[in-house]
Amino acid sequence: MLIKRKSIEQVESSRPARKPRYAPVTLSEMDGVRYLHFGTEWVQGAMRIRKPDWPELEYAQQMMAWMLWIKQPQRLAQLGLGTGALTKFCYRQFPQAQVEAIELNPSVITICASMFKLPPNDERLHVREMDALDYVNDDANHGTLDALQVDLYDATARGPVLDSADFYSACCACLAPHGIMTVNLFGDHPSYAKNIKAMKFAFAQVICLPEVHDGNVVAIAFKSKVALDAEAQTALLECAKQIVAETKLPAKTWVKGIVSTL
């Protein structure tokens, strides 16, 4: 969904498809990077083969921007597995945290394990084959997440497949009072305004980082409003420097992008 590249290899899942509406899972590789497609040229995720736990694409790195406010998360979730980039990074980076990924398409889960080095489930990692809407509407998940990362696209890449105010309200309900959601959007698509409006209905505060790639915009939604005055910006920059030193994520550019929107 991020950059267009013609798929050069179709990979057959060893797990039989149970739901025929799913698009075929296909792969391509270029310059040491493996890409995931859903039978089209749209990229649904990427992995640098020599750095499998690193979020290769810039928008995926921006999806970690909640780290500017949350230092020691205890429970994290991703809606939409993709190549497992966010799931793998969170699992390795936060050894104290429970990490969940919710994916509807069983072939994506299989391909992540076989071709994108997704670790098997254990006491901290839980990759679940289920509908994201069912997950966020489950009362057992409400109030439990420090951060929720939402990247829900199908083969058409026309916009998130879940984008209603009810959906985002349920996402907000899953967060602890200090919780933060990040969402991958298309800034130059009609779905963008609809999603932002729905998020602003559900959340106390919404900020959008500058556009990257072929139109990707990461929105940051806060369950509780945060300060963004000069003093807060200084604190964010100091936190960003620490994130860069510890993870090499480009956190200082996140702060610059946030400030540019004020």
Side-chain angles (χ1 to χ4, degrees), residues 65-77 96-98 141-148 171-182 203-205 220-227 236:
W66 54 264
M67 293 173 64
L68 292 168
W69 293 272
I70 301 172
K71 309 299 188 298
Q72 294 292 323
Q74 298 302 306
R75 191 177 180 206
L76 309 167
Q96 78 286 353
Q98 295 285 319
N141 296 318
H142 289 180
T144 66
L145 299 178
D146 296 297
L148 176 64
C171 289
C172 187
C174 288
L175 296 172
H178 62 275
I180 299 172
M181 176 183 73
T182 53
F203 285 82
Q205 189 176 11
I220 311 170
F222 301 85
K223 186 163 185 174
S224 301
K225 194 169 184 178
V226 297
L236 287 177

Side-chain angles (χ1 to χ4, degrees), residues 153-175:
Y153 285 79
D154 59 16
T156 64
R158 293 175 181 170
V161 295
L162 295 174
D163 58 9
S164 68
D166 286 344
F167 168 68
Y168 285 122
S169 294
C171 289
C172 187
C174 288
L175 296 172

Side-chain angles (χ1 to χ4, degrees), residues 47-66:
M47 178 189 74
R48 185 162 293 280
I49 296 170
R50 296 182 65 179
K51 297 174 66 177
D53 293 338
W54 174 252
E56 177 68 19
L57 298 173
E58 186 177 4
Y59 98 90
Q61 297 168 12
Q62 289 186 343
M63 292 283 280
M64 300 297 302
W66 54 264

Side-chain angles (χ1 to χ4, degrees), residues 19-65:
K19 298 179 182 178
R21 70 178 180 272
Y22 297 141
V25 177
T26 55
L27 301 180
S28 66
E29 288 186 17
M30 182 175 290
D31 298 329
V33 178
R34 182 172 295 154
Y35 298 92
L36 176 71
H37 311 263
F38 291 159
T40 72
E41 61 188 359
W42 290 105
V43 169
Q44 301 288 342
M47 178 189 74
R48 185 162 293 280
I49 296 170
R50 296 182 65 179
K51 297 174 66 177
D53 293 338
W54 174 252
E56 177 68 19
L57 298 173
E58 186 177 4
Y59 98 90
Q61 297 168 12
Q62 289 186 343
M63 292 283 280
M64 300 297 302

Side-chain angles (χ1 to χ4, degrees), residues 64-173:
M64 300 297 302
W66 54 264
M67 293 173 64
L68 292 168
W69 293 272
I70 301 172
K71 309 299 188 298
Q72 294 292 323
Q74 298 302 306
R75 191 177 180 206
L76 309 167
Q78 295 83 45
L79 305 184
L81 180 61
T83 60
L86 296 175
T87 301
K88 291 183 293 182
F89 184 81
C90 289
Y91 178 69
R92 304 297 188 194
Q93 185 65 34
F94 304 107
Q96 78 286 353
Q98 295 285 319
V99 180
E100 291 182 286
I102 309 305
E103 174 58 49
L104 185 61
N105 187 340
S107 295
V108 172
I109 298 174
T110 300
I111 235 47
C112 272
S114 63
M115 301 298 288
F116 291 97
K117 299 187 182 298
L118 179 70
N121 285 347
D122 59 20
E123 68 278 1
R124 287 200 307 112
L125 178 63
H126 306 280
V127 178
R128 306 186 187 280
E129 181 191 329
M130 67 181 299
D131 193 312
L133 190 60
D134 292 337
Y135 178 85
V136 297
N137 281 323
D138 186 345
D139 290 343
N141 296 318
H142 289 180
T144 66
L145 299 178
D146 296 297
L148 176 64
Q149 299 166 119
V150 182
D151 191 10
L152 295 170
Y153 285 79
D154 59 16
T156 64
R158 293 175 181 170
V161 295
L162 295 174
D163 58 9
S164 68
D166 286 344
F167 168 68
Y168 285 122
S169 294
C171 289
C172 187

